[in-house]
Amino acid sequence: MLNEQDIQLLRAQFPILNRQVYDRPLIYLDNAASSLKLTAVWQAEEQLARDYYGNIHRGAHFMADKATAEFENTRTSVRNFINAQSDSEIIFTKGSTESINLVAYSFGEAFVSAGDEIVVSEMEHHANIVPWQLMATRKGAAIRVLPFDDSGRLMTEQLDALLTPRTRLIAVAHVSNTLGTVNPIADIISMAHRRNVRVLVDGAQMIAHKPVDVQALDADFYVFSGHKMYGPNGVGILYGKKELLEQMPPYQGGGEMIEQVSFANTTFNRLPYKFEAGTPNISGTIALGEAVKFLMSPQRQAWLAHENTLLTYATKKLSEISGLRIYGQQPEKAGVISFNIDGVHPYDLAVLLDKMGVATRSGRLCADPVMTHFGVTAMLRISFALYNTRSEIDSFIEILRKVREML
Ligand SMILES: *Cc1c(COP(=O)(O)O)cnc(C)c1O
């Protein structure tokens, strides 16, 4: 377990935590939307601007070479972080959204024909629904929905019946950004693979909260974003199995992704560059390496245990408030608690909480089907990071009780 000093050392790496908003200490509980940035991350971006900036891969000078080496080092760090087999399976994008769009387009071109089916879970973020709908419309394919029950559990017992000889892929979140459920991804993948169906895992809400091993999971595709793991915004990762990526056509054309261009016949670069058209977010990607290093700290296990006690503690404290309903009651949860209080609009709550220094999220949480499932138009969500504390939860609960009185 972390002691007070460990927590202070952790928080010292996020100096923004010491700021005040409206003359009150900031309590940042919107980590599922974006986590705060580690000092080493923004210092790495600053160092790049100050010391060795240049465009990567094409350079013939010292600074470009150094930037290229650092960029490729980050690819290797990410590969180690999620235990991928090879660097060529790590593709840098601008976020989870772009990673999913890339797969929906390119996998769709290679493997989906009219009459085929894609299974998407009911608890997905819009980013893991709409790209599949766009692809399905283009290819004449159909979307089938894997539902969850009122406790927030995916009804995987229905999966086998949902899979048909026409199913090509299942798109599913590792952790739901609304319900917090940690889905049984390894089981879903083995069920899918028995039927020759591929699986894309949306790991955006998992990556900061628990260790991920893509080979142990046997995931075909795994996506996540830098800005939800204490890293930079504007950088995302797509992991894909090499044998699949090799069969998939490019998503965007441009520089870097080609081998040779002529008007008669253009050929494409090898993996991973085939999927990295144009100048990427060079400084952000290099800085992401610092977030990965941080998350691979030997202390990570203790940090994650700390975070989990916050989730349990906040759940217990919230449950004591009358008329409060928590959405998502699974024993295996990570990072988020979404709830509503009888007779109070979550937006009003969020505005008042903000005035007291507490940053939360309210609204549809990029998951309209989850709102529809529970027959609500909005929820209030709090979400945790390693640097949150028990006393922040106590203050939050006290403030929540107070603002509720005001409404
Ligand atoms: C945030 C989030 C996304 C989208 O990530 P971006 O970084 O905005 O592209 C996708 N899925 C889940 C579960 C998320 O939480």
Side-chain angles (χ1 to χ4, degrees), residues 112-269:
V112 180
S113 346
D116 283 348
E117 294 168 6
I118 305 292
V119 172
V120 175
S121 104
E122 189 189 3
M123 65 169 76
E124 297 311 303
H125 187 285
H126 295 160
N128 205 21
I129 300 175
V130 185
W132 303 109
Q133 291 177 323
L134 293 173
M135 183 269 272
T137 304
R138 206 171 55 242
K139 305 301 284 188
I143 305 286
R144 310 248 264 159
V145 181
L146 177 65
F148 62 85
D149 70 18
D150 289 348
S151 73
R153 187 185 61 86
L154 264 191
M155 296 165 82
T156 47
E157 67 278 10
Q158 295 190 10
L159 186 56
D160 221 38
L162 264 182
L163 300 180
T164 74
R166 300 308 302 265
T167 313
R168 293 289 163 259
L169 180 139
I170 302 173
V172 62
H174 206 157
V175 172
S176 155
N177 72 311
T178 47
L179 307 169
T181 314
V182 182
N183 288 317
I185 290 300
D187 295 346
I188 293 173
I189 290 173
S190 68
M191 220 183 292
H193 285 176
R194 275 200 296 277
R195 306 282 293 268
N196 219 10
V197 173
R198 301 299 185 168
V199 181
L200 176 137
V201 183
D202 176 354
Q205 289 301 337
M206 176 69 171
I207 201 72
H209 301 289
K210 288 177 201 287
V212 169
D213 180 332
V214 291
Q215 287 190 77
L217 290 172
D218 200 21
D220 298 298
F221 302 101
Y222 199 98
V223 309
F224 53 100
S225 299
H227 72 100
K228 292 183 180 180
M229 50 183 281
Y230 314 112
N233 52 299
V235 185
I237 288 87
L238 164 63
Y239 159 79
K241 279 184 185 162
K242 199 170 172 180
E243 40 124 356
L244 283 170
L245 294 174
E246 265 167 357
Q247 296 176 69
M248 289 159 47
Y251 171 55
Q252 293 182 338
E256 183 69 34
M257 53 73 72
I258 46 85
E259 182 185 62
Q260 200 163 37
V261 175
S262 75
F263 289 109
N265 181 33
T266 290
T267 53
F268 304 126
N269 205 339

Side-chain angles (χ1 to χ4, degrees), residues 247-297:
Q247 296 176 69
M248 289 159 47
Y251 171 55
Q252 293 182 338
E256 183 69 34
M257 53 73 72
I258 46 85
E259 182 185 62
Q260 200 163 37
V261 175
S262 75
F263 289 109
N265 181 33
T266 290
T267 53
F268 304 126
N269 205 339
R270 64 182 204 279
L271 289 173
Y273 312 111
K274 179 172 92 174
F275 290 109
E276 293 181 352
T279 302
N281 182 345
I282 300 167
S283 54
T285 307
I286 292 171
L288 176 72
E290 295 297 327
V292 168
K293 197 188 294 170
F294 172 73
L295 284 173
M296 290 178 85
S297 149

Side-chain angles (χ1 to χ4, degrees), residues 291-340:
V292 168
K293 197 188 294 170
F294 172 73
L295 284 173
M296 290 178 85
S297 149
Q299 273 199 296
R300 188 175 191 205
Q301 216 53 336
W303 293 346
L304 295 180
H306 161 72
E307 194 188 278
N308 212 45
T309 63
L310 295 179
L311 181 68
T312 311
Y313 182 63
T315 303
K316 176 171 158 286
K317 288 301 210 181
L318 284 171
S319 308
E320 290 165 7
I321 296 178
S322 66
L324 187 145
R325 173 174 185 187
I326 293 176
Y327 303 99
Q329 310 263 9
Q330 281 299 291
E332 269 269 2
K333 275 182 74 165
V336 310
I337 306 175
S338 300
F339 61 92
N340 268 318

